[in-house]
Amino acid sequence: MNLNEYQNKAHSTAVYPKEKAFEYLATGLASEAGEVASLVSKWIRGDGKVLSITDMKKELGDVLWFVSEIAYMVGTNLSEVAELNVKKLQDRQKRNTLKGSGNNR
């Protein structure tokens, strides 16, 4: 499945108050990213000998769903987001600025 197919299928499952869409999606994304971090922190703490790849895939899928919906809400698709991100990273790599801080490095 390509990114845009995913986005279309995922959007069909969207149930949230449209008048609060951005608030819901932004906080949901942060929450799901926290779930990813939580899996890692529990693994570091020693709650499991191995990090569950199955659980990680599920949480990353939830992150992807929220990213997909935010992209939909702003009128873009995941392929455009991915292409722009790769171009940005390649430019930073070419200029040796992958490390560091700031959006416009």
Side-chain angles (χ1 to χ4, degrees):
M1 169 182 318
N2 71 41
L3 289 172
N4 292 342
E5 289 172 338
Y6 168 83
Q7 187 173 22
N8 290 329
K9 289 180 181 184
H11 181 65
S12 72
T13 69
V15 178
Y16 51 84
K18 301 304 180 205
E19 68 278 0
K20 294 284 188 180
F22 286 116
E23 296 91 332
Y24 172 79
L25 295 170
T27 57
L29 175 58
S31 176
E32 293 301 337
E35 292 288 333
V36 170
S38 179
L39 287 175
V40 174
S41 69
K42 289 176 183 174
W43 174 70
I44 290 169
R45 185 175 62 198
D47 290 1
K49 293 185 180 188
V50 295
L51 182 62
S52 170
I53 300 305
T54 299
D55 289 346
M56 184 60 74
K57 286 179 184 179
K58 290 177 182 178
E59 296 304 337
L60 289 171
D62 292 340
V63 168
L64 182 59
W65 186 91
F66 279 97
V67 169
S68 175
E69 277 300 296
I70 292 170
Y72 179 86
M73 292 299 301
V74 300
T76 191
N77 62 57
L78 287 178
S79 288
E80 290 174 356
V81 171
E83 287 173 22
L84 181 61
N85 183 253
V86 168
K87 285 179 184 177
K88 177 186 78 175
L89 293 171
Q90 288 173 334
D91 178 62
R92 287 180 179 176
Q93 185 177 41
K94 195 175 359 175
R95 295 181 294 111
N96 198 28
T97 58
L98 282 172
K99 292 183 178 180
S101 62
N103 289 332
N104 295 315
R105 58 182 188 271

